[in-house]
Coordinates of all heavy atoms in Angstrom, one line a residue:
E180 N 111.0 65.8 18.1 CA 110.7 66.7 17.0 C 111.6 67.8 16.7 O 111.8 68.2 15.5 CB 109.4 67.4 17.4 CG 108.1 66.5 17.3 CD 106.8 67.1 17.5 OE1 106.7 68.4 17.3 OE2 105.8 66.5 17.9
L181 N 112.4 68.2 17.7 CA 113.5 69.2 17.5 C 114.9 68.6 17.5 O 115.8 69.3 17.3 CB 113.4 70.4 18.5 CG 112.0 71.1 18.7 CD1 112.1 72.0 19.8 CD2 111.6 71.6 17.4
H182 N 115.0 67.3 17.7 CA 116.2 66.5 17.8 C 117.2 67.1 18.7 O 118.4 67.2 18.6 CB 116.8 66.5 16.3 CG 116.0 66.1 15.2 ND1 115.4 64.7 15.2 CD2 115.3 66.8 14.2 CE1 114.7 64.6 14.2 NE2 114.5 65.8 13.6
T183 N 116.8 67.6 19.9 CA 117.6 68.2 21.0 C 118.0 67.0 21.9 O 117.1 66.4 22.5 CB 116.7 69.2 21.8 OG1 116.2 70.2 20.9 CG2 117.5 69.8 22.9
T184 N 119.3 66.9 22.0 CA 119.8 66.1 23.0 C 119.3 66.5 24.4 O 119.4 67.6 24.8 CB 121.4 66.1 23.0 OG1 121.9 65.8 21.8 CG2 122.0 65.1 24.0
T185 N 118.8 65.5 25.1 CA 118.1 65.7 26.3 C 118.7 64.9 27.5 O 118.6 63.7 27.3 CB 116.5 65.5 26.2 OG1 116.0 66.2 25.2 CG2 115.7 65.9 27.5
V186 N 119.1 65.6 28.4 CA 119.5 64.9 29.7 C 118.6 65.2 30.9 O 118.5 66.4 31.3 CB 121.0 65.2 30.0 CG1 121.5 64.4 31.2 CG2 121.9 65.0 28.7
V187 N 118.1 64.1 31.5 CA 117.2 64.3 32.7 C 117.9 63.7 33.8 O 118.2 62.4 33.8 CB 115.8 63.7 32.5 CG1 115.0 63.8 33.6 CG2 115.1 64.4 31.3
I188 N 118.2 64.3 35.0 CA 118.6 63.8 36.3 C 117.5 63.6 37.2 O 116.6 64.5 37.2 CB 119.8 64.4 36.8 CG1 119.3 65.9 37.3 CG2 120.9 64.4 35.8 CD1 120.5 66.4 38.1
T189 N 117.3 62.4 37.8 CA 116.2 62.1 38.6 C 116.5 61.0 39.7 O 117.6 60.3 39.3 CB 115.0 61.8 37.9 OG1 114.0 61.5 38.7 CG2 115.3 60.6 37.0
H190 N 115.9 61.0 40.7 CA 116.0 59.8 41.6 C 114.9 58.8 41.3 O 114.8 57.8 41.9 CB 116.0 60.2 43.1 CG 114.7 60.8 43.4 ND1 114.4 62.2 43.3 CD2 113.6 60.3 44.0 CE1 113.1 62.4 43.7 NE2 112.7 61.3 44.1
N191 N 114.0 59.2 40.4 CA 112.8 58.4 40.1 C 113.2 57.4 39.0 O 113.3 57.6 37.9 CB 111.7 59.3 39.6 CG 110.4 58.6 39.5 OD1 110.3 57.4 39.3 ND2 109.3 59.3 39.5
V192 N 113.2 56.0 39.6 CA 113.7 54.9 38.6 C 112.8 54.7 37.5 O 113.1 54.3 36.4 CB 113.8 53.7 39.5 CG1 114.3 52.5 38.6 CG2 114.9 53.8 40.5
A193 N 111.4 55.0 37.8 CA 110.4 54.8 36.7 C 110.6 55.6 35.4 O 110.4 55.0 34.2 CB 109.0 54.9 37.2
I194 N 111.2 56.7 35.6 CA 111.5 57.6 34.5 C 112.4 57.0 33.4 O 112.5 57.3 32.2 CB 111.9 59.0 34.9 CG1 110.7 59.6 35.6 CG2 112.3 59.9 33.6 CD1 111.1 61.0 36.2
A195 N 113.3 56.1 33.9 CA 114.3 55.4 33.1 C 113.8 54.7 31.9 O 114.4 54.6 30.9 CB 115.1 54.6 33.9
A196 N 112.5 54.3 32.1 CA 111.9 53.5 30.9 C 111.7 54.2 29.6 O 111.6 53.6 28.6 CB 110.6 52.9 31.4
M197 N 111.7 55.5 29.8 CA 111.4 56.4 28.5 C 112.7 56.9 27.9 O 112.7 57.3 26.8 CB 110.6 57.5 28.8 CG 111.2 58.6 29.8 SD 110.3 60.2 30.1 CE 110.4 60.9 28.4
A198 N 113.8 56.4 28.4 CA 115.2 56.9 27.9 C 115.6 56.0 26.8 O 115.4 55.0 26.7 CB 116.2 57.1 29.0
D199 N 116.6 56.6 26.0 CA 117.3 55.9 25.0 C 118.4 55.2 25.7 O 118.9 54.2 25.3 CB 117.9 56.8 24.0 CG 116.9 57.4 23.1 OD1 115.8 56.8 22.7 OD2 116.9 58.5 22.8
R200 N 118.8 55.8 26.7 CA 120.1 55.3 27.5 C 120.0 55.8 29.0 O 119.4 56.9 29.3 CB 121.3 55.7 26.9 CG 122.5 55.2 27.6 CD 123.9 55.1 26.7 NE 124.1 56.5 26.2 CZ 125.2 57.2 26.6 NH1 126.1 56.6 27.5 NH2 125.4 58.5 26.1
V201 N 120.3 54.8 29.9 CA 120.3 55.1 31.4 C 121.7 55.0 31.8 O 122.3 54.1 31.8 CB 119.3 54.1 32.0 CG1 119.1 54.4 33.5 CG2 117.9 54.2 31.4
L202 N 122.1 56.1 32.6 CA 123.2 56.1 33.3 C 122.9 55.9 34.9 O 122.0 56.7 35.4 CB 124.1 57.3 33.2 CG 124.4 57.6 31.7 CD1 125.1 58.9 31.5 CD2 125.2 56.4 31.0
R203 N 123.6 55.2 35.7 CA 123.4 55.2 37.1 C 124.7 55.7 37.8 O 125.8 55.4 37.4 CB 123.2 53.8 37.6 CG 121.8 53.2 37.1 CD 121.5 51.8 37.6 NE 120.3 51.3 37.1 CZ 119.0 51.5 37.7 NH1 119.0 52.2 38.9 NH2 117.9 51.0 37.2
M204 N 124.5 56.6 38.8 CA 125.6 57.2 39.5 C 125.5 56.8 41.0 O 124.5 56.6 41.5 CB 125.6 58.7 39.3 CG 125.8 59.2 38.0 SD 126.1 61.0 37.9 CE 127.8 61.1 38.6
R205 N 126.7 56.6 41.6 CA 126.8 56.3 42.9 C 128.1 56.8 43.4 O 129.2 56.6 42.7 CB 126.7 54.8 43.2 CG 126.7 54.4 44.7 CD 126.5 52.9 44.9 NE 125.5 52.3 44.2 CZ 125.5 51.4 43.3 NH1 126.7 50.9 43.0 NH2 124.5 50.9 42.7
N206 N 128.2 57.5 44.5 CA 129.4 57.9 45.1 C 130.3 58.8 44.2 O 131.5 58.6 44.1 CB 130.2 56.8 45.7 CG 129.5 56.1 46.8 OD1 128.8 56.8 47.6 ND2 129.7 54.9 46.9
G207 N 129.7 59.6 43.3 CA 130.4 60.4 42.3 C 131.0 59.7 41.1 O 131.7 60.3 40.4
M208 N 130.4 58.5 40.8 CA 130.9 57.8 39.7 C 129.7 57.2 38.9 O 128.8 57.0 39.5 CB 131.8 56.6 40.2 CG 133.0 57.1 40.9 SD 134.1 55.6 41.4 CE 133.1 55.0 42.6
I209 N 129.9 57.1 37.6 CA 128.9 56.4 36.8 C 129.3 55.0 36.8 O 130.3 54.5 36.4 CB 129.2 56.8 35.3 CG1 128.6 58.4 35.2 CG2 128.1 56.0 34.4 CD1 128.7 58.9 33.8
V210 N 128.4 54.1 37.4 CA 128.6 52.8 37.7 C 127.9 51.8 36.7 O 128.2 50.6 36.7 CB 128.2 52.4 39.1 CG1 129.0 53.2 40.2 CG2 126.7 52.7 39.4
E211 N 127.1 52.5 35.9 CA 126.4 51.6 34.9 C 125.8 52.5 33.8 O 125.4 53.7 34.0 CB 125.3 50.9 35.5 CG 124.5 49.9 34.6 CD 123.3 49.2 35.3 OE1 122.5 49.9 36.1 OE2 123.2 48.0 35.1
S212 N 125.9 52.0 32.6 CA 125.5 52.6 31.3 C 124.6 51.6 30.6 O 125.3 50.7 30.1 CB 126.5 53.3 30.5 OG 126.0 53.9 29.3
V213 N 123.4 51.9 30.3 CA 122.5 50.7 29.8 C 121.7 51.4 28.6 O 120.9 52.4 28.9 CB 121.6 50.0 30.7 CG1 120.8 49.0 30.0 CG2 122.5 49.4 31.8
A214 N 121.8 50.8 27.4 CA 121.0 51.2 26.2 C 119.6 50.8 26.5 O 119.4 49.5 26.7 CB 121.6 50.9 25.0
N215 N 118.7 51.4 26.0 CA 117.2 50.9 26.1 C 116.7 50.7 24.7 O 116.5 51.6 24.0 CB 116.3 51.9 26.8 CG 115.0 51.5 27.2 OD1 114.6 50.4 26.8 ND2 114.2 52.3 28.0
A216 N 116.6 49.4 24.4 CA 116.2 49.1 23.0 C 114.8 49.6 22.7 O 114.5 49.7 21.5 CB 116.3 47.6 22.8
A217 N 113.9 49.8 23.7 CA 112.5 50.1 23.4 C 112.1 51.0 24.4 O 111.2 50.7 25.3 CB 111.5 48.8 23.4
P218 N 112.4 52.4 24.3 CA 111.8 53.4 25.2 C 110.2 53.5 25.3 O 109.7 53.3 24.1 CB 112.4 54.6 24.7 CG 113.6 54.2 23.8 CD 113.3 52.8 23.3
V219 N 109.7 53.5 26.4 CA 108.2 53.5 26.5 C 107.6 55.0 26.3 O 108.4 55.9 26.5 CB 107.6 52.8 27.7 CG1 108.3 51.5 27.8 CG2 108.1 53.8 29.0
D220 N 106.4 55.0 26.0 CA 105.8 56.3 26.0 C 105.5 56.9 27.5 O 105.3 56.1 28.3 CB 104.4 56.3 25.5 CG 103.7 57.5 25.1 OD1 103.3 58.2 26.1 OD2 103.5 57.8 23.9
P221 N 105.9 58.2 27.6 CA 105.8 58.6 29.0 C 104.6 58.5 29.7 O 104.4 58.4 30.9 CB 106.2 60.1 28.9 CG 107.0 60.2 27.7 CD 106.5 59.1 26.7
S222 N 103.4 58.4 28.8 CA 102.0 58.5 29.4 C 101.9 57.0 30.1 O 100.9 57.0 30.9 CB 101.0 58.6 28.4 OG 101.1 57.6 27.4
T223 N 102.7 56.0 29.8 CA 102.5 54.6 30.3 C 103.3 54.4 31.6 O 103.2 53.3 32.2 CB 102.8 53.6 29.3 OG1 104.2 53.6 29.0 CG2 102.0 53.8 28.1

């Protein structure tokens, strides 16, 4: 609604399903960047 760019860091893999894009980090590096074509509603 406010068009605010939002970045959430978490160890909870399930939260990734609601994102437009998911980045995975390991040992101080971004090892994967994946666009999510169909982000889900957080309530699900």
Side-chain angles (χ1 to χ4, degrees):
E180 295 186 19
L181 302 180
H182 308 291
T183 302
T184 302
T185 304
V186 181
V187 176
I188 65 171
T189 182
H190 65 276
N191 188 337
V192 177
I194 294 175
M197 66 177 287
D199 298 318
R200 187 157 55 108
V201 180
L202 306 177
R203 292 180 182 272
M204 294 192 70
R205 186 181 306 121
N206 299 325
M208 297 180 286
I209 295 176
V210 296
E211 185 179 43
S212 175
V213 179
N215 188 353
V219 305
D220 188 292
S222 65
T223 67

